[in-house]
Each structure stands twice: as structure tokens, then as C-alpha cells.
Amino acid sequence: MATLTRNDTNLIKRSILFFDIDGTDGDDYQTAVSSIQSALAKIVYLVYPTVSNGYKGTRLRLAVPIDSTFDAMQRIQLGNYLRQLLPNNWQTDLTSYGSHWSQLAGLPVLNAYSMAHNCKLAMNDTKSFLSLAQIKSSQAPMIKPQPQELKGLAESKVRNNRQPWQDSVNQALTKLVTPPGHGRHDFYSSLIGSFLFMQIDQHVIETLLLWSNEHSDNPLPESELYRTIDSVSRTAARKERVNG
């Protein structure tokens, strides 16, 4: 960490990827663990039930040590890679990139349901750690957020000189968790423009920016943030009328 205050700005590197599985589309705990064991047979991991397992369906936490430290952007790459290996109908905490970069992960705690149904932790102690370098060099496609997780987000046709839609989303959402202490107006104006280009609803933009601003070391007054959103939105609407 940059300082001893744990938040998304101060946390610089991690070495273990905590990956929550919040829904397994009806698979019970043992079936879900078997799917993970099959998909991740070649890498080290620990999987265990979360404290809400059984009371909110099958819910697991997957802890994967990485062969080198990684930052917030690389976390998204790692998470996307794991999502491609797991059943695509499962819901994870990275489906919407909703979990905070600095979020703590609970250790294995067995509740009454887990003990009654023999929901034990499982570990793969092979010698191979998941390789960040190999994932960065792979050409596997990034997984886009599910529609129900990012309402108001619509795909746009991408010109040859524009970033792929998924990359634009990843970069914009990653920036939200690392707001700068200076140049905040330009920072948020750029983000608002990105979100408007992706056709995100106005109230969603406001919610995202208010959350980001609250986690800044030097937040803007809320009234200024709303004025910035309004100003950029009016400019974008005027350009759209002129240029289409």
C-alpha cells in the first residue's frame, strides 16, 4: 500500500486473486467444486464456502496465488481469464467488475449449513502458479459485463481507429477506483465522455462518479461534480445533433 489506509487509491499491488462465485445456476456445492477442480487442475488454488453459503444459494470463494504481484487493471485481466475457464452461466463478483480493488476477503468460516452438508474447503497443491505474463500475452477475448449487471450499457459499432468496446469499458471502470488528487475536473470530464459514448444512462453515470469521488483523497464538492456531469452531457448532446 502507498500508506497505511486501506482504500482503492492506496492499495497498489496484490499477490493473491480472490474470486467470489455468487451463483452457480443451481449447481450444489460439491458439483461446483468438482467443476472448479476440473477447470483449474493445472494451477494452485484454494476454494471454500463463504459465510452465506446455503442461505443465499451456493456461494464460494476462490483464492488463486499469482506468480507475480498485480495491480487493479491486471486484476481484471486475471479475473476475465478465470471466468473463461469456469461455466459461463455462473455469476461472479467480476461479472460487473463490482467488487472493490481493496476489498478484504474472508477466510474459511463454516456455518451451520456448510457443516451439515459437508461443504469442505478444497485445495490444489500443484507447483504451478497462475502466470500473469502468460495471461497478458494471450489473445483470449475479454468477457464483457452481463446486461443485467450494467443496465443502460449498449454496444456500439466500433470503427477501426477506436478501442474495442470491452477494452473501453474495462479501462473506464478501472479508472473509477483510482481517482486522482489533482486534475479532477479533467479526469471526471473524460470519464463522463467515455460513459456517454457507451450510452450509459444518466443516473448510472451519476452513481458511478459519486462513488468514485467519495473514494478520492481530494474529492470535489458534490455540487461541482453534478455541474461537470451536466456540462459534459450538454456538450455531448450538442455534438451529437451536429455530427450524428
Side-chain angles (χ1 to χ4, degrees):
M1 294 189 294
T3 69
L4 293 182
T5 302
R6 182 181 61 84
N7 59 36
D8 288 341
T9 301
N10 287 328
L11 183 61
I12 300 172
K13 297 284 187 180
R14 303 191 82 141
S15 57
I16 299 177
L17 180 71
F18 289 97
F19 188 89
D20 282 4
I21 299 168
D22 297 326
T24 57
D25 197 36
D27 290 345
D28 61 19
Y29 181 82
Q30 297 300 335
T31 302
V33 169
S34 294
S35 295
I36 293 171
Q37 290 172 324
S38 176
L40 307 184
K42 296 182 179 179
I43 63 171
V44 177
Y45 64 81
L46 177 70
V47 60
Y48 54 92
T50 68
V51 70
S52 61
N53 178 59
Y55 303 114
K56 295 182 179 180
T58 301
R59 295 169 70 89
L60 311 90
R61 176 165 292 124
L62 181 63
V64 182
I66 311 303
D67 68 346
S68 59
T69 57
F70 55 91
D71 58 25
M73 175 62 81
Q74 292 165 335
R75 167 182 173 268
I76 294 178
Q77 293 176 315
L78 291 163
N80 277 330
Y81 175 78
L82 287 180
R83 284 190 58 213
Q84 293 175 80
L85 299 180
L86 298 173
N88 58 17
N89 56 346
W90 285 7
Q91 293 295 312
T92 73
D93 69 334
L94 295 176
T95 299
S96 64
Y97 309 103
S99 63
H100 303 319
W101 161 238
S102 61
Q103 181 174 327
L104 293 176
L107 294 173
V109 178
L110 296 177
N111 61 32
Y113 179 95
S114 296
M115 291 190 291
H117 292 79
N118 201 28
C119 300
K120 297 179 179 179
L121 63 84
M123 179 176 64
N124 189 19
D125 59 356
T126 179
K127 302 301 181 182
S128 298
F129 279 20
L130 185 59
S131 170
L132 177 61
Q134 289 181 6
I135 292 174
K136 288 172 63 178
S137 64
S138 73
Q139 300 301 312
M142 300 289 278
I143 300 206
K144 61 188 178 185
Q146 299 296 317
Q148 68 271 22
E149 298 293 341
L150 282 181
K151 294 180 180 178
L153 193 60
E155 288 192 55
S156 302
K157 291 183 178 179
V158 180
R159 300 174 187 170
N160 290 334
N161 62 342
R162 292 195 182 276
Q163 290 177 306
W165 179 85
Q166 295 95 330
D167 289 347
S168 298
V169 173
N170 291 341
Q171 290 187 16
L173 295 179
T174 301
K175 287 179 181 178
L176 281 172
V177 304
T178 55
H182 303 283
R184 297 158 297 164
H185 286 93
D186 290 341
F187 173 80
Y188 284 121
S189 294
S190 175
L191 267 181
I192 296 163
S194 297
F195 289 141
L196 289 171
F197 175 75
M198 292 183 280
Q199 301 180 24
I200 295 181
D201 291 346
Q202 183 86 7
H203 75 279
V204 177
I205 294 176
E206 293 175 357
T207 299
L208 292 172
L209 265 66
L210 285 169
W211 177 89
S212 177
N213 190 51
E214 289 173 357
H215 289 76
S216 172
D217 291 336
N218 186 21
L220 284 172
E222 193 171 297
S223 58
E224 285 189 41
L225 193 62
Y226 276 113
R227 280 198 296 271
T228 302
I229 295 172
D230 182 64
S231 175
V232 175
S233 298
R234 284 189 282 106
T235 299
R238 184 172 63 251
K239 289 183 177 180
E240 186 174 14
R241 286 194 299 271
V242 173
N243 302 318

